[in-house]
Amino acid sequence: EVQLVESGGGLVQPGGSLRLSCAASGFTVSSNYMSWVRQAPGKGLEWVSVIYSGGSTYYADSVKGRFTISRDNSKNTLYLQMNSLRAEDTAVYYCARGKYSSSPGAFDIWGQGTMVTVSS
Amino acid sequence: DIQMTQSPSSLSASVGDRVTITCQASQDISNYLNWYQQKPGKAPKLLIYDASNLETGVPSRFSGSGSGTDFTFTISSLQPEDIATYYCQQYDNLPRTFGQGTKVEIK
């Protein structure tokens, strides 16, 4: 079965760090475009970051310089390292797979989401 | 950044009604437009990709059309299980951007 399972969310103080994980099964993370998308409580969807199959990475301006997307091919897992966290980073974080392996497209597989709360 | 403007922000319709949601891009995005359904507490689900292609397993009452800057999403006959928030999303440029969402309720 093709699926994504996130973990690593929790409560963290402003300025703190957290690393989210997204374990994939049924497909190879390194062969696909993989993204993180977040949703603040009661709000809409916000794209956060992408890592292309070739390894290039891109970020939303709101997280650039603070967040790092990466993957471990041996574990078939996607990561999001979040540093210098702010209250406005509070959200459910989803990992999502790009539908096409060789070009951008829709997000066809989503994880269940993991909640990150930034508060003192 | 490409701005995606959805309308309406919410709607109420009866079971069996035809429901239409529009999405306007701030610049030409060709057909690089997707539609998602999100039910409360759940992850989004892809319904329509590349403006008009139905994702595998999605009921045929869902459809999409449009190109350039103006797009339409339609539910031909609203069912109780369609209660959700619907989002459009462009992938012509980074950052990927979503519309603000349309909440669909049963009248």
Side-chain angles (χ1 to χ4, degrees):
Chain A
E1 181 187 6
V2 174
Q3 66 174 356
L4 295 166
V5 178
E6 297 104 335
S7 60
L11 175 64
V12 60
Q13 292 187 338
S17 298
L18 213 54
R19 188 179 80 157
L20 306 183
S21 299
C22 171
S25 56
F27 73 98
T28 303
V29 164
S30 62
S31 297
N32 286 84
Y33 286 62
M34 299 295 299
S35 276
W36 288 95
V37 176
R38 68 184 180 183
Q39 186 170 37
K43 302 298 184 182
L45 300 168
E46 179 189 16
W47 174 83
V48 173
S49 181
V50 63
I51 182 166
Y52 288 174
S53 52
S56 299
T57 59
Y58 299 91
Y59 301 90
D61 285 346
S62 57
V63 307
K64 199 173 297 181
R66 301 187 299 122
F67 289 12
T68 302
I69 190 171
S70 64
R71 65 192 181 206
D72 184 329
N73 296 344
S74 67
K75 295 182 178 180
N76 206 28
T77 297
L78 179 74
Y79 300 100
L80 186 68
Q81 177 67 44
M82 304 185 296
N83 299 331
S84 303
L85 282 162
R86 307 166 180 167
E88 55 264 36
D89 296 319
T90 295
V92 174
Y93 284 73
Y94 297 100
C95 59
R97 184 185 81 168
K99 183 174 178 65
Y100 305 122
S101 60
S102 59
S103 62
F107 303 126
D108 67 339
I109 304 296
W110 295 69
Q112 84 285 359
T114 187
M115 183 70 203
V116 172
T117 303
V118 184
S119 175
S120 55
Chain B
D1 297 3
I2 298 175
Q3 306 302 316
M4 306 301 295
T5 304
Q6 265 183 256
S7 62
S9 56
S10 66
L11 66 89
S12 181
S14 300
V15 172
D17 281 355
R18 184 180 185 88
V19 169
T20 299
I21 299 169
T22 64
C23 181
Q24 186 171 59
S26 59
Q27 65 187 67
D28 189 334
I29 59 169
S30 185
N31 68 328
Y32 301 142
L33 190 283
N34 308 305
W35 291 96
Y36 301 88
Q37 175 193 67
Q38 187 180 32
K39 297 183 177 181
K42 299 295 187 181
K45 174 186 176 182
L46 176 64
L47 299 182
I48 302 288
Y49 63 96
D50 299 348
S52 61
N53 295 304
L54 193 67
E55 177 70 346
T56 302
V58 174
S60 59
R61 64 180 180 273
F62 297 101
S63 65
S65 64
S67 66
T69 60
D70 295 302
F71 301 87
T72 300
F73 172 81
T74 300
I75 307 174
S76 62
S77 177
L78 186 67
Q79 300 302 303
E81 60 266 32
D82 300 336
I83 300 313
T85 300
Y86 294 84
Y87 294 93
C88 61
Q89 175 246 329
Q90 65 80 22
Y91 67 96
D92 182 58
N93 273 350
L94 289 170
R96 309 292 185 235
T97 45
F98 292 85
Q100 79 277 17
T102 297
K103 187 174 184 179
V104 174
E105 298 175 322
I106 294 286
K107 190 180 294 182

